[in-house]
Amino acid sequence: MKADRFWPSDEPLLRSVLDWSWQRILGGQDPTARARPVDELQADVGETVTPGGIGGAEALRLFTQVLVPATRAQDNPMNLAYVPAAPTEAALVFDLAVSAAEVFAGTWEAGAGAVVAENQALAWLASLAGWPDSAGGCFVSGATMGNLSALVAARHRAAGLRDDRPGRWRFAATADVHSSVHAAARVMDCGVLEVGGDGCGRMTGSALEAALEAGDDGLFAVVVSAGTTNAGVVDDISGVSRVCRERGIWLHVDGAYGGAALAAPSARPLFDGIEHADSFVVDPHKWLFAPYDCCALLYREPVYGADAHSQFATYLEQVDRSEWNPADYAVHLTRRARGLPFWFSLATYGTDMYRDAVEQVLSVTRGVVEEIGRRTYLSLVMEPDLSVVLFERTGWDEADYVAWSERNARAGIVLCVPTRWADRPVLRFCFVNPDTLVERISEVLDSLGD
Ligand SMILES: *Cc1c(COP(=O)(O)O)cnc(C)c1O
């Protein structure tokens, strides 16, 4: 221990934290790990924040033996609930390095080395969208923050283009848009013009035009989903982008889950029109193999992001405004270089492997759709656009689905949480992990026939 420093150092303790991390990264998480009632957890954890401290060894013991077992295995290949995760080993281990480097990545002067690498990862995403080299943005915590930041920029641009104020600012979206988009509307105190979807809930250019018939005063953006969360449906970006261009409306693409499929040639045509969008988000922590938390927020013309979000103050006067300051592009100032684990994984494995990994997930999805088609007691709700599969078990009601789902979750066989489609309970698989095997899913489908 160095006597001249305030905090005592305990190298064996620090090493045991790293040893545990290492085992977790290589060994994965127990699929039966799950949340427990708060009284039970509190009783097992006891008082940990005390004047004298409980000591790192005891805190680590509680973490590994009590706390972690009460968290879900997000990256297990048989976790198909909500939107799971599938970070690469390289990305996970690099998250430790990013912590160790303790970079302030809000400004260029403090974080240039991190920012230049993060920006290369962002540039790859922008190139997949067919955007010019001048596109740019930053990484934020999640698409909730990404959607909000993009919509704030869109409204700021619209406000600058008129002298008066509309009765109410609004953006257009379908009923199937993610809940975070509605959260953004509430934060921004603006309205949502609902655009009717097709049979799969998809927004089309003509449906948008029909919704705009009644007038578009105060309409500052259209939000399309490039992969709805519930069904993985990609809106008709091409048709919608044509209407937006004709009317000079900002087009925001929410690709939090599905934007990853831009990397897959077999799915790329679904995204046609994205080259005309003004902003775009994708969560690498969903289907681009990065750990939490990581959302890429991109603007085709970043100046609109900066106009809306740059912070100014006397204590920020020395910030070099001629360089790329990620703080300028979202609702944040201090930020962790959370794009670096994603960058490291991309740099390690290469974009070809990323393309192949996303294609692998799409191919597993197609294999599972075929297996569903082979079973008379199952029916597919719709052909998937991406990697979400909605299907029904003939004769089952909600209670049957919930009981089956709960039984499999407890046994650690599969995590599959029912959802709703057209007001009926249905089963939903969301694939993001290239290690998920069709054979294992087939066994799960068999168990639905019993
Ligand atoms: C997950 C998701 C979001 C929200 O992203 P967070 O990272 O959880 O904030 C937004 N839109 C879509 C389509 C999503 O799937």
Side-chain angles (χ1 to χ4, degrees):
M1 196 203 293
K2 295 200 192 88
D4 57 340
R5 297 181 62 179
F6 182 82
W7 299 105
S9 184
D10 180 349
E11 201 177 317
L13 171 70
L14 305 186
R15 278 192 187 281
S16 53
V17 173
L18 287 181
D19 285 347
W20 180 85
S21 307
W22 190 237
Q23 282 165 23
R24 167 63 178 89
I25 289 168
L26 295 180
Q29 157 82 311
D30 173 6
T32 63
R34 56 170 24 229
R36 297 164 58 200
V38 63
D39 326 352
E40 240 183 82
L41 262 178
Q42 288 283 19
D44 284 359
V45 175
E47 288 300 321
T48 54
V49 180
T50 64
I54 60 170
E58 174 58 6
L60 180 61
R61 184 194 70 77
L62 285 170
F63 177 73
T64 59
Q65 296 181 15
V66 180
L67 304 181
V68 173
T71 66
R72 179 179 288 158
Q74 286 302 97
D75 49 349
N76 188 282
M78 291 301 278
N79 180 345
L80 311 174
Y82 307 100
V83 181
T88 63
E89 288 174 355
L92 279 175
V93 83
F94 204 71
D95 208 37
L96 300 178
V98 173
S99 290
E102 181 63 352
V103 176
F104 179 97
T107 61
W108 181 263
E109 63 162 284
V115 174
V116 78
E118 282 189 314
N119 284 356
Q120 288 195 8
L122 290 172
W124 175 61
L125 294 169
S127 75
L128 293 177
W131 282 9
D133 292 346
S134 50
C138 62
F139 288 95
V140 294
S141 58
T144 297
M145 194 47 87
N147 285 335
L148 173 65
S149 298
L151 288 167
V152 166
R155 182 170 65 182
H156 192 82
R157 183 184 73 164
L161 290 173
R162 56 191 290 167
D163 305 320
D164 60 341
R165 289 290 167 266
R168 188 143 172 81
W169 287 112
R170 298 177 302 161
F171 61 78
T174 67
D176 289 354
V177 81
H178 189 265
S179 51
S180 62
V181 174
H182 286 284
R186 286 194 302 277
V187 171
M188 297 169 70
D189 189 23
C190 65
V192 180
L193 173 69
E194 191 174 311
V195 181
D198 70 5
C200 296
R202 187 180 286 112
M203 188 193 296
T204 60
S206 50
L208 175 61
E209 271 173 332
L212 295 176
E213 292 275 274
D216 62 2
D217 189 46
L219 194 95
F220 63 87
V222 174
V223 178
V224 288
S225 306
T228 55
T229 313
N230 199 38
V233 169
V234 182
D235 286 339
D236 170 19
I237 305 176
S238 176
V240 170
S241 73
R242 184 180 44 77
V243 178
C244 288
R245 264 177 298 148
E246 279 163 16
R247 300 181 178 236
I249 304 171
W250 181 293
L251 176 61
H252 174 65
V253 179
D254 179 0
Y257 143 73
L262 273 170
S266 73
R268 182 59 181 82
L270 291 170
F271 295 84
D272 285 353
I274 195 173
E275 63 277 13
H276 301 300
D278 297 281
S279 54
F280 165 53
V281 298
V282 55
D283 275 343
H285 67 218
K286 284 180 171 168
W287 189 7
L288 283 174
F289 321 112
Y292 301 123
D293 45 15
C294 184
C295 168
L297 161 63
L298 281 156
Y299 300 93
R300 193 151 47 85
E301 293 184 59
V303 64
Y304 295 119
D307 282 351
H309 296 295
S310 295
Q311 298 186 25
F312 297 95
T314 46
Y315 40 83
L316 294 175
E317 271 170 15
Q318 297 308 313
V319 169
D320 185 349
R321 303 282 169 179
S322 68
E323 295 291 358
W324 194 269
N325 296 301
D328 287 343
Y329 299 98
V331 186
H332 61 192
L333 179 58
T334 298
R335 61 179 292 277
R336 163 185 181 75
R338 57 166 58 83
L340 285 186
F342 172 54
W343 162 79
F344 185 74
S345 185
L346 272 172
T348 299
Y349 301 114
T351 57
D352 284 356
M353 264 188 97
Y354 260 68
R355 173 198 65 207
D356 295 348
V358 176
E359 284 289 7
Q360 169 66 19
V361 170
L362 290 167
S363 141
V364 166
T365 309
R366 289 179 204 116
V368 169
V369 164
E370 256 176 52
E371 291 295 330
I372 289 172
R374 288 206 184 101
R375 288 163 174 80
T376 52
Y377 51 90
L378 299 178
S379 61
L380 197 63
V381 171
M382 70 179 84
E383 277 301 322
D385 275 352
L386 300 174
S387 67
V388 175
V389 181
L390 297 183
F391 63 107
E392 291 174 277
R393 162 68 163 84
T394 317
W396 276 20
D397 61 16
E398 183 141 18
D400 296 315
Y401 286 124
V402 171
W404 176 86
S405 165
E406 180 64 18
R407 208 162 51 238
N408 279 279
R410 283 199 180 272
I413 296 169
V414 67
L415 195 67
C416 168
V417 173
T419 181
R420 276 175 183 283
W421 184 259
D423 229 21
R424 292 195 309 273
V426 300
L427 288 173
R428 173 178 175 279
F429 289 149
C430 178
F431 298 106
V432 296
N433 196 322
D435 290 330
T436 304
L437 300 173
V438 177
E439 298 73 55
R440 293 281 310 277
I441 306 298
S442 293
E443 291 162 16
V444 166
L445 297 178
D446 288 341
S447 80
L448 283 161
D450 299 342

